[in-house]
Amino acid sequence: NEECILQNQNVRVEIDAQGNLGHIINLKKSLAVEFHNQGFYWYQSFPGNNSRSEFQASGAYIFRPVSADPQPVSTTRTITCIKAENVQSARIVFNDWASQEIILYDEAEYAEVEWTVGPIPVNDNIGKEIILRYDTDVNSGNKFYTDANGREVLERTRDYRPTWNYTVVETVAGNYYPVNSRIWIKDQDKQFTILTDRSEGGSSIHNGSVELMLHRRMLYDDALGVGEALNEAAFGQGLVVRGRHVLFLESPAASAAYHRIGAQRMYMHPVATYALIPQSYPSYS
Amino acid sequence: NSIFYLSEAMGVAQHHDAVSGTEKQEVAFDYAQRLSQGLSSGNLVINQAYSRLLPKAGQPPPSVPQLLCHLTNISECLTVQDQTRFTVTLWNPTIQPVLHHFRVPVTRAYTVRDPTGQPILSELIPVSDQTKKIPGRTSTANNDLVFRASLPALGFNTYYFEAKTEEEPAKAQVKITH
């Protein structure tokens, strides 16, 4: 029942014996962020009736959850803690179709979360939209920040639009924004930034919370032109997807220097090629 | 013009929001096929470039092709996973030198040499059960060999892998708890 503590020269990640992410600590800056209930949740897709907007189904174009409260994908989880010199990691399995690996490489200034989701079960005839949520003690209020196709990062305010009087109808979907490369929340002392390895949808539905939409599987078309449900059942069981989040904890003033360099490392990562070599090393060299 | 196939496939995919699911499944398959063909064509360009960059001065270009592995995210690279010897060449497209931890899925233990010929720290990290049961994964690799690569700005380094022939005492300790 020991904790799984991942620590290098710059970052400490604390995960308890039940597989709950507890803290990420920036050791050089003495900054800490506390997490509550970090993990996978799912929204139930609105089935709709394929006709008018007020009855519109959640589908490829439309995110329309039935409830504003996503459900955890499991109540228990298993954790495997791996420690080596180059890398330390915690593999946390939530259920048969959702798991994450929290990874800390030697000398890295960030933690990675490699998530794996799918095939999403729909044999209960309920469409599901899977998020990974980070609930933190960052006092971010109703503001969060998302990029716009890798260009200007814009401040988003929950339940608000800067250029018109906004009436809240969709409490979750109405606050979702594209996250092409990064999303962050911050308070006076610290900024929690997540880099994504692909375009995702994301939001901050509560103070201190960040969630990102990872995978969706639905049984109804949203009647906006595709004519097929976003089901991806061509191979009989739906798709498995795997991706990465890179987590930075820094002061607000220093964060840009870290997430910009981190983003370049991520999006312009080295290209690996492999070659079969017939010679032994002395001959090859 | 060999990279045109990939740039066109990327252009089509981006223009049509191909990652969003707003296309019929048959169309998604078509996008995937176009990207796959583009990547294959791009691999020819990589080989043409390395045939100029890799030979030592005064020597003929190596005839060994450079291959891509598209499934290393699920710890699968069938080309090298159980070979006696192979190289991994890492190209850094940024204008800064980078340190990058790299994973190679393998079925056995290897000695990894850096470009100067020095053996470097490499560790076998077990592939997770979740990865092993991903539908479509055919690899028998049980481990990822993790090592740290040091790459020059806008340049490359080649790392040489040689299978260990006998039980060598493990220098690195990997501790696993459940």
Side-chain angles (χ1 to χ4, degrees):
Chain A
N1 287 324
E2 289 178 5
E3 283 187 305
C4 177
I5 309 277
L6 317 177
Q7 182 168 335
N8 67 8
Q9 300 83 348
N10 304 306
V11 180
R12 177 181 169 96
V13 181
E14 297 175 353
I15 303 147
D16 71 18
Q18 284 72 46
N20 300 298
L21 174 60
H23 293 88
I24 294 180
I25 300 162
N26 180 328
L27 297 170
K28 295 234 165 113
K29 305 270 179 70
S30 297
L31 293 171
V33 65
E34 185 177 345
F35 291 84
H36 310 277
N37 304 317
Q38 184 270 349
F40 297 97
Y41 293 78
W42 66 280
Y43 288 104
Q44 179 179 343
S45 305
F46 190 70
N49 69 357
N50 264 6
S51 59
R52 299 294 176 196
S53 62
E54 63 266 34
F55 302 113
Q56 190 166 34
S58 199
Y61 286 95
I62 302 295
F63 169 39
R64 205 168 188 217
V66 169
S67 163
D69 294 317
Q71 300 300 306
V73 300
S74 69
T75 53
T76 59
R77 38 191 99 167
T78 63
I79 174 170
T80 303
C81 194
I82 300 175
K83 294 193 176 179
E85 285 189 49
N86 274 320
V87 61
Q88 304 168 55
S89 74
R91 290 175 179 163
I92 303 166
V93 179
F94 288 70
N95 61 26
D96 282 348
W97 50 269
S99 62
Q100 65 178 359
E101 182 170 3
I102 302 174
I103 304 167
L104 190 61
Y105 288 106
D106 187 41
E107 294 189 27
E109 294 167 317
Y110 52 85
E112 284 187 21
V113 175
E114 186 179 71
W115 47 264
T116 305
V117 180
I120 299 171
V122 289
N123 45 11
D124 54 3
N125 289 321
I126 295 174
K128 298 178 183 67
E129 321 205 19
I130 316 302
I131 61 166
L132 187 54
R133 197 172 77 189
Y134 303 84
D135 287 349
T136 74
D137 65 349
V138 176
N139 189 21
S140 57
N142 60 353
K143 294 195 187 310
F144 58 105
Y145 300 81
T146 63
D147 73 313
N149 210 14
R151 291 174 285 207
E152 186 182 16
V153 174
L154 297 176
E155 180 180 276
R156 313 293 192 182
T157 304
R158 198 160 49 245
D159 296 332
Y160 173 78
R161 299 293 186 274
T163 52
W164 77 91
N165 292 324
Y166 180 63
T167 303
V168 178
V169 178
E170 300 277 354
T171 54
V172 175
N175 287 303
Y176 257 66
Y177 289 89
V179 177
N180 298 116
S181 70
R182 69 204 75 187
I183 182 171
W184 71 70
I185 54 174
K186 65 180 180 179
D187 59 24
Q188 280 200 319
D189 303 318
K190 58 198 175 198
Q191 176 171 325
F192 176 59
T193 308
I194 304 175
L195 300 181
T196 61
D197 68 341
R198 66 197 65 197
S199 290
E200 295 165 13
S203 186
S204 172
I205 300 295
H206 306 287
N207 178 22
S209 175
V210 179
E211 64 184 61
L212 288 157
M213 178 77 71
L214 306 180
H215 196 11
R216 318 170 67 206
R217 191 173 180 201
M218 284 150 286
L219 301 166
Y220 298 95
D221 174 42
D222 58 15
L224 282 172
V226 185
E228 281 179 12
L230 182 51
N231 190 340
E232 298 177 307
F235 300 106
Q237 56 178 348
L239 297 184
V240 183
V241 290
R242 169 171 284 179
R244 283 189 303 140
H245 292 161
V246 171
L247 315 182
F248 284 96
L249 175 62
E250 276 292 338
S251 65
S255 280
Y258 286 88
H259 70 68
R260 285 182 185 148
I261 291 171
Q264 193 179 49
R265 278 182 59 91
M266 198 166 180
Y267 307 128
M268 298 180 74
H269 60 82
V271 178
T273 53
Y274 304 77
L276 303 181
I277 301 296
Q279 308 102 319
S280 63
Y281 188 75
S283 172
Y284 167 81
S285 64
Chain B
N1 287 332
S2 298
I3 62 168
F4 176 75
Y5 299 100
L6 181 57
S7 61
E8 185 184 55
M10 285 293 291
V12 168
Q14 291 181 339
H15 176 81
H16 291 290
D17 298 341
V19 297
S20 65
T22 49
E23 72 274 18
K24 288 183 186 292
Q25 188 63 53
E26 290 295 332
V27 181
F29 288 147
D30 185 62
Y31 292 147
Q33 185 176 35
R34 287 166 184 264
L35 288 167
S36 176
Q37 289 166 346
L39 286 167
S40 297
S41 185
N43 195 21
L44 298 176
V45 181
I46 290 173
N47 272 280
Q48 287 168 5
Y50 275 138
S51 71
R52 295 181 177 222
L53 294 169
L54 283 172
K56 290 180 178 174
Q59 294 191 352
S63 58
V64 179
Q66 297 285 325
L67 309 165
L68 295 168
C69 278
H70 297 302
L71 295 174
T72 49
N73 67 328
I74 56 168
S75 298
E76 176 166 314
C77 183
L78 300 177
T79 308
V80 301
Q81 65 174 18
D82 48 11
Q83 294 293 325
T84 308
R85 305 176 194 92
F86 63 89
T87 59
V88 177
T89 299
L90 295 164
W91 171 266
N92 170 23
T94 70
I95 58 168
Q96 301 93 21
V98 294
L99 293 171
H100 187 86
H101 283 91
F102 199 75
R103 292 172 180 252
V104 181
V106 290
T107 61
R108 54 206 288 199
Y110 288 85
T111 299
V112 183
R113 295 179 187 274
D114 71 10
T116 69
Q118 293 300 310
I120 59 171
L121 174 68
S122 61
E123 294 162 305
L124 287 171
I125 305 295
V127 172
S128 70
D129 292 338
Q130 283 64 45
T131 300
K132 288 177 186 171
K133 67 183 184 186
I134 287 175
R137 182 178 185 270
T138 58
S139 172
T140 54
N142 281 320
N143 292 288
D144 280 317
L145 193 64
V146 180
F147 68 101
R148 188 166 78 166
S150 174
L151 306 176
L154 279 175
F156 65 93
N157 272 332
T158 298
Y159 291 82
Y160 184 94
F161 288 65
E162 190 160 35
K164 292 181 177 174
T165 51
E166 57 192 58
E167 279 299 314
E168 295 180 26
K171 290 176 185 167
Q173 296 282 327
V174 178
K175 184 184 172 194
I176 301 172
T177 52
H178 298 276

